[in-house]
Amino acid sequence: RAELLTSTVRWIAAKIGEPGVGDAFAGVFSDAVSDPDLREILATRLQDPYRIALQDALGEPENRVLFFIDVVVGVLLHRMGMTGEPMADADVDALVAMVLAHFEKE
């Protein structure tokens, strides 16, 4: 369980850190705020395959897996937006520790 959560956070961090990916996410998310059709596409085509896989692997309900995705992706995109750089490895380690602590206690 801890290994799966850790590898998932690190995989998301690596993807968001790839050149252009953070920019693309930020632009699409910004547009999605006022576009319900785009939100539906993002939810069903982008997020759901990962959400469902995590739900199955972790045995967690949808709301907890969505919280995990929101926290991890949100933090990583925020850092990218504020600094123009991907999150440093030490900070990814701290994010992993926070996520693990939350999912271990419940």
Side-chain angles (χ1 to χ4, degrees), residues 87-102:
M87 187 173 277
D89 289 342
D91 291 339
V92 173
D93 292 343
L95 178 59
V96 166
M98 288 189 291
V99 166
L100 289 179
H102 175 77

Side-chain angles (χ1 to χ4, degrees), residues 22-23 26 75-85:
D23 292 343
V75 166
L76 292 165
L77 286 176
H78 182 268
R79 177 62 61 89
M80 179 72 78
M82 295 305 292
T83 67
E85 299 290 330

